[in-house]
Amino acid sequence: MSYERANIREMTGYASGEQPAQPDIIKLNTNENPYPATAAVAEALRNCRVEDLRRYPSPLADRFRRTAAEYHQLEIDNIIPTNGGDELLRLVITTFANAGDTLAIAEPSYSLYPVLADIQGCKTARIMLGEDWSNPEDFADQANRAGARIAFVVNPHAPSGHLNSSAELSRIAENFSGVLVIDEAYVDFIDPELRYDAVELTRKFDNVLVLRTMSKGYSLAGLRFAYGIGAQSLLAPMLYKTRDSYNTDYISQTLATAALQDRAAAALNWAKVRAERLRLHRALSEMGFYCGNSQSNFILAQIPQHADALAGAERHALSLYQQLKSKGILIRYFDQPRLRDKLRITVGTPDQNTQLLLALRQSLQPSTD
Ligand SMILES: Cc1ncc(COP(=O)(O)O)c(C=O)c1O
């Protein structure tokens, strides 16, 4: 006997990246920050007392919201705290889309979006990204024609790292008649010289929701804390109606607040990641991989053309992924259109990246037998 709703019975759940138990694995598969959270976060954790857990936490994480509002120069009601970015995505869908409604999703992108759509019984309209992973010029028209209630764009894009300008996003926001989610999970790794800023769009448009997470830039993926930024009218139904009453816990509120206040220290790690991203990009390109310009903490590497001359299984991205795995290095292989000939590699520490490059070079060497 099955008690699930029919659409739950038929759907496939989200497949998380592998989280191996062995500590010595070089883990470059789930875009975690290779550096630990800052000293201020460690101190805030040390200062948490079991006595503090006796009471319920601040329902809306007010201290965090004040800190984030000050940082973004917005009001506290322009910020919604959530249990990771994933909870915000679920909240957006359950708040703004009925079962049977359509959601527009840039394709390919974060594979959780269609899973959440399935849970809510929504249809999806896939909007194909350009050759360079940019949003098509008529993104908003395509989403409107599909009757989409919500559109999802990741910027910088995952899994390529391509960055759309805020002017392009502004055009989409202006022309799209539903809610535009700009998922900025990887925003902290953008080169500051590019002066990218999509938060300003939340001041201009009441249909823009920007997703920020503490998981990547602030090295707190294990904490589960993220926040949304948007117009008060957009956030109000989620803040006061659909959110779980205590959706973020005391410890995560405390550490996330400390992390955001100490962002100057976190920024030193972002700069280190950017420097290593450049080194990896150069080394992979020299090996013949094609890598677009990534503004994220990962690189999407397309298999070298000359690898076509290599023997059998070594020819393919899947084989390379498996060979690295057998050497204790985990990267990400996606068995889906446009990505099967590519590998997504999270930028690690200098030492991890050196080991990755060494292992890749060995795997690409033509066999001598
Ligand atoms: C594009 C994108 N959006 C959102 C998230 C959600 O991150 P979290 O739930 O850890 O905040 C991720 C996580 O990998 C992601 O890749």
Side-chain angles (χ1 to χ4, degrees), residues 74-75 77-80 202-203 205-206 208-210 228-235:
L74 292 164
E75 300 297 320
D77 274 345
N78 297 120
I79 309 287
I80 177 168
T202 65
R203 295 193 185 91
F205 301 108
D206 67 1
V208 172
L209 179 75
V210 171
I229 308 169
Q232 297 188 7
S233 57
L234 186 71
L235 298 196

Side-chain angles (χ1 to χ4, degrees), residues 160-201:
S160 71
H162 173 87
L163 184 73
N164 289 287
S165 68
S166 37
E168 289 166 72
L169 297 174
S170 175
R171 215 176 35 240
I172 297 176
E174 191 169 3
N175 295 312
F176 177 48
S177 46
V179 175
L180 173 65
V181 177
I182 305 175
D183 181 339
E184 293 192 338
Y186 301 98
V187 72
D188 303 308
F189 304 105
I190 296 174
D191 190 338
E193 285 167 17
L194 297 177
R195 301 193 170 282
Y196 167 83
D197 176 13
V199 171
E200 62 168 21
L201 302 182

Side-chain angles (χ1 to χ4, degrees), residues 71 133 162 197 284 361:
Y71 167 34
W133 311 104
H162 173 87
D197 176 13
L284 290 168
R361 270 193 202 101

Side-chain angles (χ1 to χ4, degrees), residues 30 84-86 89 110 113 154 158 183 185-186 211 213 215-216 224-226:
T30 46
D86 290 350
L89 295 170
Y110 189 28
Y113 303 147
V154 190
D183 181 339
Y186 301 98
L211 179 154
T213 178
S215 294
K216 315 289 182 177
R224 313 307 302 133
F225 198 99

